[in-house]
Amino acid sequence: MSLFSGTINQLEHGLAYSSVKQKVIAENVANVDTPGYKSKDVNFKAMLQNEINLSSSKSKSADPRHFDLKPSEGSVNIQSRNYSYRQNGNGVDMDKEMADLATNQIYHDALIERISGKFGSLNTVIRGGQ
């Protein structure tokens, strides 16, 4: 049985991506003054394809009615960017990182709003439309 036709599961994977993206951006910002540091980015396309492949495979649960709430192993694809913006070889562009941070925040908030709406709909159904 799939609650909301798998929508919540897909939103969960989107939140996992957003969380990883947030950590990568934070790491880049923290290393803005580290000589030789190359900024990193999450490859969304590869991560999405991996999640689609894993979602299509059968669940390894003992009971098919159980939900798999653990994030899938090996689904994160983080790549280094080979740019050098400074003399010391550092590849962090703070303007790009701040723009990525704002974009990721909007994406995260939209996902949270959709999940909240799904649970609100489920709550309405449980209460009998009241």
Side-chain angles (χ1 to χ4, degrees):
M1 180 176 126
S2 180
L3 191 63
F4 295 114
S5 302
T7 304
I8 290 180
N9 190 28
Q10 292 171 353
L11 291 169
E12 177 191 359
H13 290 309
L15 285 172
Y17 164 76
S18 179
S19 175
V20 169
K21 180 81 171 173
Q22 177 73 22
K23 289 175 186 176
V24 168
I25 293 170
E27 184 178 336
N28 289 341
V29 170
N31 287 295
V32 69
D33 292 325
T34 304
Y37 179 81
K38 301 297 181 194
S39 66
K40 297 178 179 135
D41 195 15
V42 180
N43 186 342
F44 177 75
K45 192 179 240 182
M47 190 172 176
L48 178 64
Q49 187 60 44
N50 190 24
E51 290 299 331
I52 289 170
N53 293 341
L54 289 174
S55 295
S56 64
S57 65
K58 286 193 167 194
S59 177
K60 296 177 179 108
S61 175
D63 188 334
R65 296 175 293 172
H66 291 171
F67 292 110
D68 183 20
L69 298 178
K70 290 190 258 178
S72 52
E73 298 292 323
S75 64
V76 179
N77 190 343
I78 300 173
Q79 298 175 339
S80 292
R81 298 182 197 140
N82 292 323
Y83 306 124
S84 292
Y85 291 106
R86 300 193 190 144
Q87 293 289 346
N88 66 1
N90 188 290
V92 177
D93 179 8
M94 282 299 289
D95 290 335
K96 180 173 181 357
E97 298 301 328
M98 291 296 110
D100 286 350
L101 186 65
T103 302
N104 191 51
Q105 184 65 43
I106 292 167
Y107 177 70
H108 180 269
D109 290 347
L111 290 173
I112 291 295
E113 191 172 322
R114 284 306 310 141
I115 287 178
S116 178
K118 291 292 182 184
F119 283 129
S121 297
L122 183 60
N123 192 19
T124 301
V125 169
I126 290 171
R127 291 179 186 218
Q130 297 178 1

